[in-house]
Amino acid sequence: MHALLTAATETAEQGGIMSMITPIIMIVVLIAVFYFFMYRPQKKQDKEQKNMRDNLTVGDEITTIGGIIGKIVSIKDETVLIETSNERNKIRILKTAVRSVDVHAEDAD
């Protein structure tokens, strides 16, 4: 009888440990899924955007986040001067307002 009681106690303890480990494993798996499907792709996209903005050159045709299309005339620290039409209207914008480079300067030639 004592052996049966000891065996029952050991299996209960093992079941108790497993029931405590299972939620921890699920939380770790959930964090890993969030990291690989949400955080990591966003960081990659942010890095690509920063690289694009750091490599702007005079003559590039760009589109701003507001939908303005223009050609870069000059670049200063954090601002870009663009020409927006044949009338040579010029607008100074922040580099962070550049959404995409449509035509690179070397491709336009």
Side-chain angles (χ1 to χ4, degrees), residues 34-102:
F34 275 119
Y35 175 76
F36 282 108
F37 287 110
M38 295 178 80
Y39 182 73
R40 193 167 160 232
Q42 183 64 43
K43 291 299 270 185
K44 182 179 178 185
Q45 184 180 15
D46 291 345
K47 186 176 179 181
E48 289 171 355
Q49 286 286 323
K50 183 180 180 334
N51 187 29
M52 180 265 305
R53 290 176 180 139
D54 289 342
N55 292 322
L56 292 173
T57 58
V58 174
D60 287 351
E61 273 192 33
I62 61 166
T63 302
T64 67
I65 56 175
I68 298 171
I69 299 171
K71 190 174 191 177
I72 297 177
V73 177
S74 71
I75 300 173
K76 292 194 179 173
D77 296 330
E78 292 299 315
T79 61
V80 176
L81 185 66
I82 61 172
E83 223 173 60
T84 59
S85 67
N86 290 337
E87 290 86 31
R88 303 203 184 267
N89 296 328
K90 293 182 179 162
I91 301 173
R92 182 167 305 278
I93 61 169
L94 293 173
K95 280 186 179 180
T96 55
V98 176
R99 181 179 62 199
S100 64
V101 176
D102 301 327

Side-chain angles (χ1 to χ4, degrees), residues 21-32:
I21 291 176
T22 303
I24 294 171
I25 291 172
M26 294 302 288
I27 290 172
V28 169
V29 168
L30 186 64
I31 291 171

